[in-house]
Amino acid sequence: MNLVGRLDALEHRVGELEDCNAIRRLHWAYGYYIDFNRPDDVAELFARDGAVVFLSGEYHGHAGVKRLYGDWIAGRFTQGRPGPIDGLVLDHFQMQDIITVAPDRQTAKGRFRGMLLGGWHDSVVADKPDFMPQQFWEAGIYENDYVREDGVWKIKRLDYMMQWQGDYETGLAHTIAHLQPAAVLYPDDPLGPDVILPPEDIRQTWPHRQDVPMHFAHPRFGAVLAG
């Protein structure tokens, strides 16, 4: 490879690394915004035609994202107020990212693990929804799509698949998930998704376990596994 080719390859590689850092920052920012129930800020992280998958339902566009993170989540946890809220913990930890940028650097895929610690202090427990335990843990895996929109990386499709939930007092060994798959669409359910996944793709929650296919191939056998 001549000098020009080497420089072009190096520039492309540096660009890919910058893309990975931008996508990592984007997803970590998402985690902080949902910690504090800021649905407008969450929506701005998504592409205009972006979507989020939660409890086997898809929420479409900025309106759908705001309905999920605003009306559904903030409405239930903080009565619609932005956080932080005295006596409420809702911390989402984002970790173990594997990011793959497409050769043209216009799209990318990312896998993250999320862990959630949630709970209400005794002084505000009256604000807790009836179906929620007072203290709980949750973990899930994201397999996300990203797109460069107007030169900025945005979330194209955020797909969160819960792995388990555990009440703090009894532990995950004695817990059935307090969240179940979506069953009614918007607007019949004002908080519902725009689409429910096909029956064969419905994801039952803990203690059920399901695989979350990885977007990346094994590094050693990648060429074979990729076909």
Side-chain angles (χ1 to χ4, degrees):
M1 182 182 295
N2 61 28
L3 181 60
V4 172
R6 292 173 62 188
L7 288 174
D8 287 344
L10 179 61
E11 182 179 25
H12 184 82
R13 180 57 180 150
V14 170
E16 286 182 327
L17 294 174
E18 291 178 341
D19 294 335
C20 286
N21 281 332
I23 292 166
R24 184 176 298 114
R25 178 186 176 96
L26 170 66
H27 188 79
W28 286 354
Y30 158 85
Y32 282 113
Y33 286 140
I34 60 175
D35 283 351
F36 294 131
N37 291 291
R38 295 169 58 174
D40 290 340
D41 291 315
V42 173
E44 289 302 315
L45 303 178
F46 282 76
R48 288 183 287 269
D49 60 349
V52 55
V53 183
F54 180 68
L55 295 177
S56 297
E58 286 191 9
Y59 295 77
H60 293 167
H62 285 193
V65 172
K66 291 179 183 180
R67 185 166 69 254
L68 173 60
Y69 293 103
D71 301 337
W72 198 106
I73 296 178
R76 286 175 166 173
F77 283 86
T78 69
Q79 293 78 52
R81 295 170 293 165
I85 301 296
D86 290 343
L88 172 65
V89 171
L90 197 65
D91 288 350
H92 299 75
F93 304 96
Q94 313 292 322
M95 60 193 79
Q96 290 184 295
D97 49 280
I98 297 179
I99 299 168
T100 306
V101 179
D104 65 1
R105 296 182 51 214
Q106 297 305 303
T107 61
K109 292 183 177 291
R111 185 182 182 94
F112 291 78
R113 185 182 303 278
M115 292 197 68
L116 166 61
L117 172 62
W120 288 262
H121 187 266
D122 284 340
S123 63
V124 298
V125 71
D127 295 333
K128 178 184 72 67
D130 291 340
F131 70 93
M132 299 286 293
Q134 186 173 351
Q135 303 178 95
F136 66 94
W137 293 89
E138 178 181 316
I141 292 175
Y142 299 88
E143 270 287 346
N144 299 338
D145 292 285
Y146 301 89
V147 65
R148 196 189 297 273
E149 184 177 83
D150 301 328
V152 178
W153 282 106
K154 295 290 184 78
I155 302 168
K156 174 71 171 181
R157 187 174 189 267
L158 185 141
D159 191 349
Y160 175 73
M161 185 169 182
M162 182 198 303
Q163 294 296 288
W164 55 264
Q165 285 182 326
D167 296 4
Y168 189 83
E169 285 80 8
T170 59
L172 61 87
H174 308 289
T175 298
I176 292 175
H178 54 267
L179 296 178
Q180 297 298 317
V184 181
L185 293 175
Y186 177 83
D188 292 333
D189 177 357
L191 307 178
D194 296 286
V195 173
I196 293 177
L197 298 182
E200 63 272 18
D201 296 330
I202 294 296
R203 303 159 176 181
Q204 302 300 321
T205 52
W206 180 254
H208 300 278
R209 295 301 307 276
Q210 292 145 91
D211 186 30
V212 184
M214 303 174 191
H215 74 265
F216 51 90
H218 187 282
R220 181 175 180 184
F221 304 109
V224 175
L225 295 176

